[in-house]
Amino acid sequence: MTLEGLRGAVGKPYWHGQKVSTNKLDAESFQIVDYIYEHRDFFELIQYDDTLPGLHTGFPQTILKIYQEQFVFETINNSPVNMDYFKYYTAYGFFGLLNNWILSGYRESREAFIKNVIELTRTHIHSFHYVGNTFES
């Protein structure tokens, strides 16, 4: 089990080429959250310096790579943006939320966390195309 498991978890609910409106997102859309919670002993190591070399930078970089390779985002009202910046902004923002959830000891329930992430997502993403492959985790 490594950070690469995140890649497979993200793709579980989707098929290649699928377009998903953020209005249709639900808890099943966020298999990555389940993966992190199921492997919390690993992800909780982010609380400590020098436990796993590269974890502090590798975790957000993995999310960014997932966004770059597996998703084509459509902004609200198709607002033109630099999509590279958008993916950095979105990936690191999501990492920050995940990191805070982990560091809080998962104080917020999985369901409440996902609900809040979906609400935030709907403020800047209209829909996305899943262009990744289905991975086994």
Side-chain angles (χ1 to χ4, degrees), residues 12-100:
K12 275 187 177 181
Y14 309 114
W15 65 85
H16 183 82
Q18 180 180 8
K19 182 176 180 176
V20 178
S21 168
T22 55
N23 289 332
K24 302 291 184 188
L25 293 176
D26 60 17
E28 292 304 309
S29 305
F30 284 85
Q31 294 292 311
I32 190 172
V33 174
D34 289 335
Y35 180 85
I36 289 168
Y37 192 75
E38 288 168 13
H39 298 95
R40 61 189 170 274
D41 290 343
F42 173 79
F43 288 98
E44 287 170 2
L45 295 174
I46 203 161
Q47 300 176 72
Y48 310 104
D49 291 333
D50 301 326
T51 53
L52 288 177
L55 179 61
H56 291 90
T57 56
F59 190 2
Q61 284 293 314
T62 300
I63 295 171
L64 177 60
K65 190 170 185 171
I66 289 166
Y67 282 14
Q68 290 171 330
E69 296 176 355
Q70 297 187 37
F71 293 94
V72 175
F73 295 110
E74 294 180 20
T75 59
I76 301 294
N77 297 323
N78 287 316
S79 297
V81 297
N82 179 318
M83 197 49 69
D84 289 335
Y85 275 57
F86 185 84
K87 287 183 178 184
Y88 272 94
Y89 167 78
T90 306
Y92 277 85
F94 186 48
F95 164 73
L97 294 171
L98 288 167
N99 189 47
N100 185 61

Side-chain angles (χ1 to χ4, degrees), residues 72-133:
V72 175
F73 295 110
E74 294 180 20
T75 59
I76 301 294
N77 297 323
N78 287 316
S79 297
V81 297
N82 179 318
M83 197 49 69
D84 289 335
Y85 275 57
F86 185 84
K87 287 183 178 184
Y88 272 94
Y89 167 78
T90 306
Y92 277 85
F94 186 48
F95 164 73
L97 294 171
L98 288 167
N99 189 47
N100 185 61
W101 187 54
I102 294 165
L103 294 177
S104 76
Y106 310 95
R107 189 174 325 138
E108 189 174 33
S109 72
R110 174 191 160 276
E111 294 78 14
F113 178 79
I114 291 172
K115 179 182 178 290
N116 285 319
V117 170
I118 290 171
E119 288 174 0
L120 284 172
T121 300
R122 290 177 179 155
T123 67
H124 58 283
I125 299 173
H126 174 264
S127 61
F128 60 84
H129 284 89
Y130 179 73
V131 295
N133 295 318

